[in-house]
Amino acid sequence: MGARVAVLASGKGSNLQALLDDPAVRPSISLVVSDREAPGALLRAEDAGVATIFLDPGAHEGRAGYDRALLDVLGVENIEHIALAGFMRILSAELVRAYEGRLLNIHPALLPSFPGAHPVRDALEWGVKVTGVTVHFVDEEVDHGPIVLQETVAIEPGDDAESLHARIQEVEHRLYPLAVRLLVEGKLKVEGRAVHVLDDA
Ligand code: GRF
């Protein structure tokens, strides 16, 4: 797989780790970018021998300025695809357009339910019986683009945000490597809001 994928992550990086641990995906992970100086994600990338960049939000003017710097970095590194993995910034329209159809996100709920920054807590507070994981293409609206893969996770009596998120993450770690592989292998075809998987995974 010759594709060059950048993973953008702000946090502990367990989804990044799942991508690095998948032998079919690992060779295409070329760069990990973070907006935080030393999150787990950058350390995991260093351990795996993947190039890392800390792009400091304080050093750039607003979202547009930050994302222009990010686009420069991605361009220099010849990045073809982006996987957001807990990247806690909203992307500018310019960046989203530049990577249209080549930019994935993973969200710990069944979109379009519970978009935003606290989907696990929000699902619990709403009292739903089932939530889950969504992998979707990123468009200019937050947590909105065409859905690639979804899987349900049942809410159990006594669940709190931590226990529920832990079970959601088990699913994430299976779904994201599959979705990224399908993307870089050119097996995802978008028709309006529908995403078709062209071949068997
Ligand atoms: C994941 O739950 C992902 O769905 C959300 O942010 C979390 C990142 O977790 N977008 P990690 O840093 O990959 O462990």
Side-chain angles (χ1 to χ4, degrees), residues 11-16 85-86 88 105-108 165 169 172-173:
K12 71 180 196 289
S14 70
N15 280 287
L16 167 66
M88 298 309 285
N105 183 42
I106 185 157
H107 185 78
H165 198 199
Q169 288 225 289
E172 290 188 330
H173 299 161

Side-chain angles (χ1 to χ4, degrees), residues 94-169:
E94 186 185 1
L95 195 147
V96 170
R97 277 190 223 120
Y99 279 89
E100 192 187 349
R102 301 185 291 147
L103 170 49
L104 293 180
N105 183 42
I106 185 157
H107 185 78
L110 293 176
L111 292 171
S113 290
F114 310 117
H118 306 288
V120 178
R121 189 192 70 194
D122 293 347
L124 272 175
E125 283 179 1
W126 195 265
V128 293
K129 306 293 186 197
V130 172
T131 183
V133 175
T134 303
V135 179
H136 65 95
F137 282 107
V138 175
D139 67 9
E140 290 175 39
E141 287 177 57
V142 175
D143 299 330
H144 176 271
I147 290 169
V148 178
L149 297 173
Q150 279 186 313
E151 192 172 312
T152 57
V153 174
I155 292 175
E156 289 171 5
D159 256 340
D160 59 15
E162 199 183 329
S163 64
L164 178 57
H165 198 199
R167 288 205 312 289
I168 285 174
Q169 288 225 289

